[in-house]
Amino acid sequence: MQINISYTLYTDGDYSLRNAEELGCTNRNVVVDDDDYYDYVGSMEFKHEEEWRCKSEAKDFLWRFLCDGIHISYTHPWLLKDFYDIMESLENVINEYQEGISVAKRYITGNYEGTEIKIEISK
């Protein structure tokens, strides 16, 4: 089994990513086509023969990303709930995976257009 988790984060200055390199951040302050801007771009890959281990490591990463990585300004506390809801939803996608290829994306909209966390699961 293989699970790839990728993300693009546009913070609008209201949150940041601590320990970015440990969380698979490969680029910072990225401009794409002169229109799209991302503060952080990164990905992590989990690959194991044992399905339970792959799922467990991917879910652990999601919660570590939220709890150890994302630092939200006190002026925007609702973002904590938004990110929590995204992680919970993606954890459910991982738990419910059966077979084939599954892709799920979750977004934060508004001022944070471009903030996306995506998982791709395959056997």
Side-chain angles (χ1 to χ4, degrees):
M1 168 175 259
Q2 181 172 332
I3 301 175
N4 294 316
I5 300 174
S6 59
Y7 58 87
T8 56
L9 305 177
Y10 176 70
T11 70
D12 198 25
D14 299 327
Y15 70 92
S16 61
L17 186 62
R18 295 184 287 201
N19 307 317
E21 291 75 26
E22 293 175 25
L23 296 170
C25 183
T26 54
N27 281 308
R28 295 183 71 173
N29 304 318
V30 177
V31 177
V32 180
D33 298 329
D34 296 327
D35 292 333
D36 295 324
Y37 174 84
Y38 305 109
D39 294 292
Y40 304 93
V41 175
S43 64
M44 292 291 285
E45 179 181 280
F46 305 92
K47 191 173 185 177
H48 291 284
E49 291 292 322
E50 298 168 317
E51 184 174 310
W52 71 269
R53 178 169 285 168
C54 190
K55 286 182 174 184
S56 178
E57 288 183 7
K59 291 185 296 186
D60 285 350
F61 171 79
L62 290 174
W63 294 115
R64 191 165 46 92
F65 190 82
L66 174 65
C67 296
D68 294 344
I70 296 174
H71 174 25
I72 296 170
S73 169
Y74 73 93
T75 60
H76 293 74
W78 62 87
L79 285 174
L80 185 57
K81 181 181 183 325
D82 291 346
F83 275 111
Y84 179 87
D85 290 346
I86 286 172
M87 299 311 170
E88 188 174 49
S89 175
L90 291 173
E91 179 181 48
N92 289 336
V93 169
I94 292 169
N95 286 335
E96 295 167 5
Y97 173 78
Q98 295 294 320
E99 61 183 63
I101 297 175
S102 178
V103 177
K105 297 178 185 180
R106 301 296 183 264
Y107 308 90
I108 292 182
T109 57
N111 293 351
Y112 312 99
E113 197 91 15
T115 292
E116 171 186 287
I117 302 175
K118 174 181 162 185
I119 61 171
E120 296 178 57
I121 307 172
S122 60
K123 287 258 182 186

